[in-house]
């Protein structure tokens, strides 16, 4: 296979090609590093590449595969890790032992991570090759990836537009065909936002399904790890890899039983939740309506539903988010090196009293009960992922008015954080598209995501439904690239 053919495979197909001996892990790595230096740099995917570490891992994978074939063990039940030799970078908010980490911030000097975070341990056990750290905004806080100390992540569908955030570099790397899968995380939409902007599958698993252990803690329980992929089957397979508990987990969940194929009741949610009256681009609403029509053709029932709570109730999330920003260990003498948005959030966090924080936590828990009651009559909730197509680079970061920056982000993402608040699973699928015009007069067709969410623990049901939608309206033949 040629390098473009290799890099066009999803992770499952690439793992199969490696098992069959059609290509070696070293050949895959060479193609990946070449792409990372080329198109990967153009889309701002990586903060650092790790060719030496990756080559050591690729050579070990190659030896294991050669030994398995020599011993007649190569095949689906050969006992080898499922993704042996498959490249998978890690977001630069997560530690990889010995690899410099900066979390997208000038206030944090790059430091070699002292250990692998738990999800990195699991990715290693699955046989993946760690080719680099992907770009993230400062501390992963905004929904765009434009850090002061790293590359701006751009969607390969239109380089004038953002890849989203905060897993923007990860999404750019997968969409640009540098890697088939990339690690990311999601505290308010940070997997699903870039999935929408880059035409990918992005699942935020149920709270407690993917542990932050053994070193991290859940805190308010908003954030979780996951991956960005180009296929539902890859997302499901990597959920199997990452859904492993560590001793002492605060929240625990288990993958539910496979769905029984029953007729589902789907709630279509078109009205913004956390930003009442936020403008919704027609292409975003149309993509959700088209997905609803497709679900009806697949034998499901669809009913329109209103937001489960008033926009003002979202203030609890804002309080938890700002305190979370304040928890980052930034020395006082380096505070001035933070971007204005981060400084503004940290100031807001300082203004949250202990009582106010406890009240916010209680408010989120009460909101979770109210959402469960409001959506008890539906199995799945369908909405646009974002209110707008991918944003122009620089259009969302407003350094001279961080409050306006934050407000614009909420208007851009009026559905995503509901699922973080409630701990329920949600997935963005690249089912829509929009024609956009850039300031220079050029135009491009860009992806538009559609989001499906389900009850806590119903990740298997959600992925099965996503797989049916992918089968009925496949997106695998689409390729990024601007057109005039």
């Amino acid at each position: 296979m040629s390098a473009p053919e290799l890099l066009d495979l999803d992770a499952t197909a690439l793992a199969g090609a490696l098992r069959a001996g059609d290509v070696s892990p070293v050949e895959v790595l060479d193609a990946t590093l070449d792409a990372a230096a080329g198109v990967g740099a153009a889309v701002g995917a990586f903060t650092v590449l790790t060719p030496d570490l990756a080559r050591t891992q690729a050579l070990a994978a190659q030896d294991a595969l050669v030994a398995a074939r020599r011993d007649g063990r190569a095949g689906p039940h050969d006992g080898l890790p499922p993704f042996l030799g498959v490249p998978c970078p890690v977001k630069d908010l997560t530690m990889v032992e010995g690899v410099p980490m900066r979390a997208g911030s000038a206030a944090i000097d790059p430091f070699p991570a002292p250990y692998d975070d738990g999800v990195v341990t699991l990715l290693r056990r699955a046989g993946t090759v760690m080719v680099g750290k992907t770009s993230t905004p400062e501390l992963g806080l905004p929904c765009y990836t434009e850090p002061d100390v790293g590359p701006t992540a751009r969607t390969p569908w239109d380089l004038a537009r953002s890849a989203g955030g905060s897993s923007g570099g990860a999404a750019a790397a997968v969409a640009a065909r540098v890697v088939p899968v990339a690690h990311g995380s999601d505290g308010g939409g940070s997997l699903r936002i870039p999935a929408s902007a880059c035409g990918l599958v992005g699942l935020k698993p149920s709270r407690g399904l993917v542990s932050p252990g053994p070193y991290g803690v859940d805190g308010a329980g908003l954030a979780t790890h996951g991956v960005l992929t180009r296929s539902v089957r890859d997302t499901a397979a990597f959920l199997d890899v990452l859904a492993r508990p560590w001793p002492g987990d605060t929240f625990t969940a288990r993958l539910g039983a496979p769905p029984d194929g029953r007729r589902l009741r789907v709630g279509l949610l078109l009205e913004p939740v956390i930003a009442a009256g936020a403008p919704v681009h027609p292409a975003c609403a149309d993509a959700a309506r088209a997905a609803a029509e497709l679900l009806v053709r697949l034998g499901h029932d669809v009913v329109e539903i209103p937001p489960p709570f008033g926009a003002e109730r979202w203030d609890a999330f804002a309080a938890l988010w700002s305190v979370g920003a304040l928890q980052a260990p930034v020395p006082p003498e380096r505070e001035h090196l933070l971007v204005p948005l981060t400084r503004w959030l940290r100031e807001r966090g300082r203004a949250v009293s202990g009582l106010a924080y406890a009240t916010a936590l209680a408010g989120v828990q009460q909101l979770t009960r109210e959402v469960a009651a409001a959506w008890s009559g539906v199995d799945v909730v369908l909405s646009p992922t974002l209110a707008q197509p991918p944003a122009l680079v620089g259009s969302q970061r407003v350094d001279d008015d961080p409050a306006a920056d934050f407000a614009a982000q909420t208007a851009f993402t009026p559905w995503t954080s509901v699922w973080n608040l409630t701990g329920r699973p949600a997935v963005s699928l690249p089912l829509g598209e929009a024609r956009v015009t850039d300031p220079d007069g050029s135009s491009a067709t860009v992806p538009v995501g559609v989001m499906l969410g389900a009850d806590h623990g119903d990740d298997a049901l959600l992925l099965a439904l996503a797989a049916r939608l992918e089968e009925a309206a496949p997106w695998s033949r689409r390729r990024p690239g601007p057109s005039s």
Side-chain angles (χ1 to χ4, degrees), residues 187-201:
S190 291
L191 284 163
R192 291 158 290 150
I193 294 163
S196 182
C198 293
L200 302 174
V201 179

Side-chain angles (χ1 to χ4, degrees), residues 153-166:
R154 303 168 184 270
T155 177
W157 297 83
D158 181 355
L159 296 181
R161 295 181 180 269
S162 172
S166 62

